[in-house]
Amino acid sequence: MKPDHMTKEEIIYGIHPVTEALKAGRRKVLRVYISRENPGKRVNKLAEKIRKSDIYVEAVSREQLNKLSRNDYHQDIAARVSPLPTTTGSRLLAPKSGIKQDAFFLVLDSVVDPQNFGALVRTAVCMGADAVIIARDRSAGPGPAASRASAGAMEHARICVVTNLANYMKDLKKNGFWIIGLDHMAKQSIAETDMTGKCALIIGGEDTGIRPLVKRRCDFLCAIAQSGPVNSLNASVAGGMAVYEAMRQRHTAAPNKK
């Protein structure tokens, strides 16, 4: 079976993913499905709005919605859509890509859980990251489960899919990026690491962390200082904290650049 982000059509589900897909306008919305079994005011209001945009809305049973979305967390609404557009590594770094001179990229190395992927993408979008970079293989992609986990924020994300992450790091460096890896074994804390300017922050996978070759190609490794009895954090939590620290530093430094 092809991964979600490689199919020609997919079913997204939940009020926020469907709403944000319509708002972002980056997908073609082919059809919307709502439950005919008392779907609730929010769904009915959204369905009425969708009908006005000339998108066909079909009332189906909850059982049919369960089958379409492959779970029962659909909140009585789903949509058949084209895949979320992604970009390539070369296009992301192209002169006309619109990337800022002090761009910040979030790089996910082998994050395979769609829930973690979606949560990290939501953090990236909320905190203003310029792009999320993932490898084509050994990675969760921008499919329906990730869209649901991101509460629809993924619909607004610039996601870049590269063939070989370790090799792409060379291209990032050639384009002036400093690459920082989050590693709980690092001696330097994120608070002591300069994440202003042009940089890419790498978050490793749930079980293995950053892969050895990717780690070796980082310019710096940093850790989140911890004092409790548990010495590791969930990938999405650790990534969220690191992205926040990066953005805090950048906003703090911005007035000094004027």
Side-chain angles (χ1 to χ4, degrees):
M1 180 179 294
K2 293 182 179 180
D4 288 332
H5 57 298
M6 296 295 288
T7 57
K8 293 182 178 179
E9 292 179 9
E10 58 191 32
I11 300 291
I12 58 173
Y13 51 89
I15 292 173
H16 290 302
V18 174
T19 299
E20 296 305 323
L22 291 164
K23 187 185 298 183
R26 300 172 67 200
R27 301 184 191 251
K28 183 177 181 180
V29 180
L30 305 171
R31 178 172 294 209
V32 173
Y33 306 90
I34 65 169
S35 171
R36 66 165 67 102
E37 301 162 26
N38 299 316
K41 292 182 180 179
R42 292 175 68 194
V43 171
N44 283 327
K45 186 175 180 180
L46 179 56
E48 183 180 346
K49 183 179 179 180
I50 293 169
R51 288 189 182 99
K52 291 179 181 178
S53 63
D54 294 327
I55 296 171
Y56 184 73
V57 178
E58 180 179 355
V60 299
S61 68
R62 281 210 180 95
E63 184 178 355
Q64 286 175 289
L65 274 174
N66 292 346
K67 290 180 179 178
L68 283 167
S69 60
R70 299 180 185 177
N71 63 67
D72 56 359
Y73 301 111
H74 44 67
Q75 297 179 299
D76 289 330
I77 188 166
R80 186 177 299 278
V81 296
S82 61
L84 185 72
T86 60
T87 190
T88 62
S90 58
R91 288 178 181 172
L92 182 64
L93 296 175
K96 295 183 180 180
S97 67
I99 292 297
K100 299 179 294 186
Q101 286 299 313
D102 61 344
F104 175 82
F105 294 163
L106 177 63
V107 183
L108 306 182
D109 179 31
S110 303
V111 174
V112 297
D113 185 339
Q115 302 302 312
N116 284 332
F117 179 84
L120 284 162
V121 170
R122 181 172 179 78
T123 298
V125 171
C126 290
M127 298 307 297
D130 296 283
V132 177
I133 301 172
I134 62 173
R136 185 172 301 278
D137 300 319
R138 297 185 302 275
S139 175
S147 182
R148 179 74 169 85
S150 77
M154 193 181 77
E155 302 301 321
H156 303 276
R158 176 182 285 186
I159 297 177
C160 172
V161 182
V162 301
T163 302
N164 187 305
L165 183 55
N167 285 343
Y168 190 62
M169 292 168 72
K170 296 179 182 178
D171 294 333
L172 290 174
K173 291 184 180 185
K174 288 177 182 177
N175 281 270
F177 280 84
W178 291 99
I179 301 180
I180 302 165
L182 189 66
D183 180 8
H184 75 280
M185 297 296 290
K187 295 181 180 179
Q188 183 172 307
S189 76
I190 57 172
E192 300 168 329
T193 305
D194 185 355
M195 289 189 277
T196 62
K198 215 171 186 179
C199 74
L201 174 67
I202 300 185
I203 309 298
E206 292 85 357
D207 298 321
T208 58
I210 301 175
R211 288 174 293 151
L213 180 56
V214 173
K215 186 182 294 188
R216 287 198 298 271
R217 292 189 176 171
C218 290
D219 295 304
F220 304 101
L221 295 175
C222 63
I224 296 171
Q226 300 175 61
S227 58
V230 178
N231 64 0
S232 64
L233 292 166
N234 170 275
S236 63
V237 173
M241 294 172 71
V243 171
Y244 172 79
E245 173 59 21
M247 292 306 177
R248 184 197 67 77
Q249 290 184 21
R250 297 163 81 83
H251 288 307
T252 301
N256 298 327
K257 294 181 179 180
K258 295 180 179 179

